[in-house]
Amino acid sequence: MGSDFSKDDCSQYPTMDERNLGNLRSYLCNYNPPEGCVGGINILLFGISRSGKSSIINTFLSALDPQGMTITCVPIGRNSTSLTPELHSFKPDLDVAKYPVIPENVIHGVALTFDVNTIDSITEEQMNLFKELQTIVAQKYIYRVVIGTKFDLLGIQEYDHKRIYEYKPLQDKFTKLSEVTGMEKRSMFVVSNKWKGDKIEMINCILTLSALENMIRNIDKFLKVMM
């Protein structure tokens, strides 16, 4: 099994213990957005239908508060292969925008979502849309990350989830995503909504909250500079 792992191309090393889980929850639950952010930080999830957007939100909610509420769905596109939301609507600062920017709906970060098990089947047209969106987001100086979902279906044993970022098949997926989207692999994370037992639950909570903390901390730094 060890040969399946490589640290040469791994940039995520979350500490897998209860103390780190507590620190992550404390930071995120007590986070106060910079002055000028009305209602909090807004993060846009952008992905193909059934890429796991609802699962990501519910995993975030469950990891932050295991006894809390979850959601049943998120807004989706017009068909099973569409991107959510439509790419051209992601230009809210245009004079002709349907939903012009107001303080409450400013987008502070974008998470491009992919099912890591179906990346190889995404069409060239869809990948070009992701690349175009990434370019638009970069031009607007909005922080962006990639979140891969359903990594538990890649074949890695549950006891090795704590080393998921060293898993060679996942590194290969991230390499491909980096090539087609132009994003760096250090801005790519994985989440899973599969919970089995206290140990695995803790690991998946830490993986999830580490991705969310990364987004929040980087968005916060940028907003404080801009404001």
Side-chain angles (χ1 to χ4, degrees), residues 14-18 20 161-163 202-204 206-207:
T15 302
M16 297 296 177
D17 58 33
E18 291 286 351
N20 188 36
H161 283 185
K162 62 184 178 180
R163 297 195 294 165
M202 180 191 73
I203 291 173
N204 285 333
I206 291 174
L207 290 172

Side-chain angles (χ1 to χ4, degrees), residues 174-193:
F174 280 0
T175 297
K176 179 175 180 178
L177 283 174
S178 179
E179 291 173 351
V180 298
T181 64
M183 295 181 62
E184 297 181 1
K185 284 180 281 187
R186 62 186 178 89
S187 64
M188 298 181 180
F189 300 86
V190 289
V191 301
S192 171
N193 64 337

Side-chain angles (χ1 to χ4, degrees), residues 95-218:
D95 293 336
V96 295
K98 184 176 180 180
Y99 302 106
V101 171
I102 58 176
E104 289 82 1
N105 70 7
V106 170
I107 296 173
H108 303 107
V110 173
L112 306 179
T113 66
F114 294 87
D115 178 343
V116 296
N117 301 276
T118 60
I119 288 174
D120 295 332
S121 64
I122 295 177
T123 67
E124 182 178 355
E125 180 183 5
Q126 290 168 336
M127 279 298 189
N128 286 336
L129 285 174
F130 278 106
K131 190 171 184 178
E132 184 180 347
L133 174 68
Q134 198 277 136
T135 300
I136 294 173
V137 173
Q139 291 172 344
K140 293 176 181 291
Y141 300 103
I142 297 174
Y143 185 70
R144 63 259 186 223
V145 299
V146 167
I147 296 183
T149 62
K150 307 175 187 178
F151 74 81
D152 47 276
L153 301 179
L154 283 175
I156 184 173
Q157 297 297 313
E158 289 185 344
Y159 55 77
D160 277 320
H161 283 185
K162 62 184 178 180
R163 297 195 294 165
I164 184 62
Y165 288 111
E166 299 171 38
Y167 191 47
K168 189 62 167 58
L170 179 65
Q171 291 181 8
D172 292 341
K173 304 283 188 182
F174 280 0
T175 297
K176 179 175 180 178
L177 283 174
S178 179
E179 291 173 351
V180 298
T181 64
M183 295 181 62
E184 297 181 1
K185 284 180 281 187
R186 62 186 178 89
S187 64
M188 298 181 180
F189 300 86
V190 289
V191 301
S192 171
N193 64 337
K194 185 177 180 180
W195 315 99
K196 283 188 178 181
D198 292 339
K199 184 175 182 180
I200 300 302
E201 180 176 4
M202 180 191 73
I203 291 173
N204 285 333
C205 279
I206 291 174
L207 290 172
T208 299
L209 297 183
S210 294
L212 184 57
E213 183 205 34
N214 176 276
M215 286 188 282
I216 297 301
R217 286 192 184 277
N218 282 283

